[in-house]
Amino acid sequence: MATAIYYFSATGNSLVVARDLAARLDNAQIIPVTRALKDDLEQPFDVIGIVYPVYMFGLPLIIADFLKQIKVKPQSYIFAVATLGGLPGLAHTQIKEILKKRGLSLAAGFSVLMPGNYTPMYGAIPQEKQEEMFKKEKAHINTIAAAIKEQKRGIIEEKPFLLNFLLNKLLYKAGAKQIPSSGKDFWVTEACTKCGLCAKVCPVENIELAEGKPKWLTHCQHCMACLQWCPVEAIQYKKSTLGKKRYHHPAVTAQDIIK
């Protein structure tokens, strides 16, 4: 059966998971959500996967938009894989609710721990801990691939549910509304070399260059791609990212994100 794995990735975690999963499934291809949104959203695939990062204990806005638009066969086996640095919140539950309104269902939702990239709260974890997480990711992907091949249903990795429920309701419901305008809080230091990479890696073209320097618009995804990929670490968010170590997956390049 033909399998499409749609992914959204700003710093590489979800891209690596999508790649690893596709390598373990038969006749699978990976497709960036950003590209799919620009193309015909009617998909002929029998198995459809969505790989995405958890933001504020919920769905990235771009994933919610994608799920509301994609056209799939009613009988398609749909699964989701969330990459996260802590708890999954209710991201999978949100997918279930979006699909249910469209007469579709989420067969299974898996969660994969990866190094976090939310620099406004913390810097990159030590390399040794990153490597440990990468090894566990490979093992978990084997389990996920086996479940998908068997088309298992009813697996939703969102434990502990009560804590995830509270975090989602308290943080996501309020915070998600502020995401598009969050670009106003990014700024650039004098270290900026005007290379323009930030505008290229932005998944929603929310950055314009003014005399070579970035200017953020009003449809931000708050994905941190611009901040994490800046080669001289000139991009900051408020004052909370100053001096904090950046992160992107070592197996991913900026060019991979631009594609």
Side-chain angles (χ1 to χ4, degrees), residues 162-181:
L162 181 57
L163 180 56
N164 284 318
F165 176 84
L166 292 173
L167 289 170
N168 179 271
K169 297 302 178 185
L170 290 173
L171 297 177
Y172 186 84
K173 293 297 182 183
K177 297 176 183 178
Q178 310 302 320
I179 287 176
S181 62

Side-chain angles (χ1 to χ4, degrees), residues 115-116 119 122-127 130 228 244-248:
T119 311
Y122 48 79
I125 63 175
Q127 188 67 38
Q130 290 184 30
Q228 300 292 2
K244 289 181 181 174
K245 190 175 180 181
R246 274 40 174 174
Y247 167 82
H248 58 76

